[in-house]
Amino acid sequence: TTGNVYNNLNFTGFAGTVAFAATTHTMYGNLVLGTSTTTSATAGTATLLWNSTSGTRTITSNGRTANFGISLNGVGQTLQLAGAFVQGSTQTFSHTNGTLDLATYSASFGVFTITTGTRSIINGTANCASVTHTSGDLTVTSASGITSTGTYTFTAGTINIDNGVTLSVGAFSSSGTGTRSIAFNTSGVLALTGSGIVYRDWE
């Protein structure tokens, strides 16, 4: 149905399938999947949206793949992992506002989308199938990073790279008329490697 709003969703002990309907499901609390819980949603149609404006919410996946979309859009909110996390490779993680705290756990996402707003990634590396950055600021703090086997498509906005951050992608594409920049900290290092690379308009 439409207009779903939840506080905490706890599927501990549930061994069936949670099939999320093709709509936005608004979350204000924590999500816990059971050790035998299966989740299901058609990619691009069902999203769990965390949009509180303060506090920390957690996702505990208990080794289960998260086959649903996730959206973090809460200024002042932190979404924190409570264990290793794997999202279905065709699903989308949309990061608009707030902090994604990986809490040093292994984390794999599908299509990582960055849109208008201000956000940060802390305490770990976000492994993604691909990244689409259409606007807004992304800050990746020290000892954190983004790794993508696919393309990081950078249309507009700012990427703030702290010292000790790794940005490793299969390809980096930045074209069009949008205003965009990559900002480095005091001792940032930019390493460009690969074959068939074309560099233009670097200052």
Side-chain angles (χ1 to χ4, degrees):
T1 62
T2 59
N4 299 322
V5 180
Y6 312 114
N7 185 19
N8 298 310
L9 283 177
N10 190 331
F11 296 102
T12 299
F14 179 63
T17 298
V18 180
F20 288 103
T23 188
T24 298
H25 306 259
T26 303
M27 294 288 300
Y28 286 99
N30 307 318
L31 172 67
V32 179
L33 300 181
T35 56
S36 298
T37 302
T38 299
T39 54
S40 164
T42 302
T45 66
T47 300
L48 269 63
L49 166 65
W50 274 267
N51 67 348
S52 297
T53 56
S54 64
T56 297
R57 310 295 184 266
T58 59
I59 295 179
T60 306
S61 59
N62 280 315
R64 308 304 292 173
T65 298
N67 277 312
F68 48 85
I70 295 174
S71 179
L72 176 55
N73 185 18
V75 177
Q77 179 185 210
T78 295
L79 184 60
Q80 183 182 74
L81 299 185
F85 177 83
V86 176
Q87 184 182 37
S89 61
T90 61
Q91 299 290 343
T92 298
F93 187 101
S94 178
H95 197 174
T96 303
N97 286 294
T99 299
L100 175 60
D101 184 358
L102 303 178
T104 72
Y105 291 110
S106 170
S108 296
F109 302 93
V111 179
F112 201 93
T113 302
I114 300 164
T115 56
T116 301
T118 301
R119 68 212 50 83
S120 61
I121 297 174
I122 63 174
N123 298 323
T125 297
N127 298 284
C128 317
S130 62
V131 182
T132 301
H133 188 159
T134 57
S135 61
D137 295 344
L138 169 67
T139 297
V140 185
T141 63
S142 179
S144 301
I146 293 180
T147 298
S148 173
T149 55
T151 300
Y152 190 122
T153 303
F154 187 29
T155 305
T158 299
I159 305 173
N160 297 301
I161 303 294
D162 204 349
N163 297 335
V165 166
T166 298
L167 176 63
S168 176
V169 296
F172 189 88
S173 174
S174 179
S175 62
T177 59
T179 301
R180 53 204 181 276
S181 62
I182 301 176
F184 296 92
N185 206 326
T186 54
S187 60
V189 176
L190 174 65
L192 302 172
T193 61
S195 60
I197 299 174
V198 177
Y199 309 121
R200 294 183 300 181
D201 300 328
W202 288 90
E203 296 181 354

